[in-house]
Amino acid sequence: MKNASFERRRIRPPVLYPGTPVLLMTTLNDDGSSNISPLSSFWALADRVVLGLGTQGQGYRNLQLRNECVLNFASAPQAAQVEAIARTTGRDPVPAAKQAMGYVHARDKFALAGFTQVPSAKVAPAAIAECPLQVEVTVMAMHSPSGEGDAGFVMVDGRVRCVHAH
């Protein structure tokens, strides 16, 4: 296609999101129960991960209190289970911004999605047994985008502690 002509136009998308697979981050709530937060902004290099995490959810609150999580990579056949919890939050009451997007409170997302909790080896939060890849992570730092004030999200830097695979 050396001489192919493509018509293009300049766009200004509200967010630059070419798409990545969804992962399910599990964290530990104050009462010792587990929370699941669907995430789609992440990348990994060697034993480091970087996550994009909204600040309105329970997952962010939990990472502020305990610097551990498990990144559970769901498979395509689990799409319905992921969708079952997509518009839920562990935060109670539900923050106004999330209410406006149609979110509702769900205390037990494992039950709602039909997932099974299994103990992790190196971190406190449970992993999701059904997910074919589970990555235990210790959070090293959380950063707000510079100059943005409260951007509504943070960048989370983590170190991989242990990986489980089916």
Side-chain angles (χ1 to χ4, degrees):
M1 303 206 124
K2 190 174 184 180
N3 295 323
S5 175
F6 294 98
E7 194 174 317
R8 6 177 255 163
R9 61 187 167 119
R10 187 176 298 178
I11 63 171
R12 294 179 84 74
V15 64
L16 181 58
Y17 179 66
T20 57
V22 171
L23 65 84
L24 302 171
M25 180 181 74
T26 50
T27 56
L28 214 55
N29 293 320
D30 286 341
D31 64 4
S33 64
S34 291
N35 183 62
I36 304 173
S37 303
L39 302 179
S40 59
S41 297
F42 70 94
W43 63 271
L45 182 62
D47 70 340
R48 300 294 194 252
V49 294
V50 177
L51 310 171
L53 182 63
T55 57
Q56 293 287 316
Q58 187 65 32
Y60 171 68
R61 178 180 278 175
N62 290 346
L63 285 182
Q64 286 182 305
L65 298 174
R66 296 177 182 88
N67 64 340
E68 299 178 324
C69 65
V70 180
L71 307 178
N72 303 273
F73 290 77
S75 62
Q78 295 168 320
Q81 289 173 286
V82 173
E83 283 299 314
I85 60 172
R87 292 277 186 209
T88 63
T89 180
R91 292 278 301 266
D92 187 20
V94 177
K98 284 199 167 226
Q99 277 184 7
M101 293 186 290
Y103 278 72
V104 296
H105 171 72
R107 174 151 168 61
D108 188 351
K109 294 183 192 179
F110 277 89
L112 184 61
F115 286 131
T116 307
Q117 296 185 49
V118 292
S120 297
K122 301 279 186 179
V123 299
I128 300 174
E130 293 81 3
C131 289
L133 186 64
Q134 306 142 5
V135 180
E136 299 180 23
V137 173
T138 298
V139 173
M140 298 167 56
M142 287 195 279
H143 311 277
S144 293
S146 46
E148 296 286 328
D150 181 13
F153 70 93
V154 293
M155 294 168 283
V156 179
D157 297 331
R159 182 171 62 94
V160 174
R161 302 284 310 278
C162 185
V163 178
H164 305 271
H166 287 185

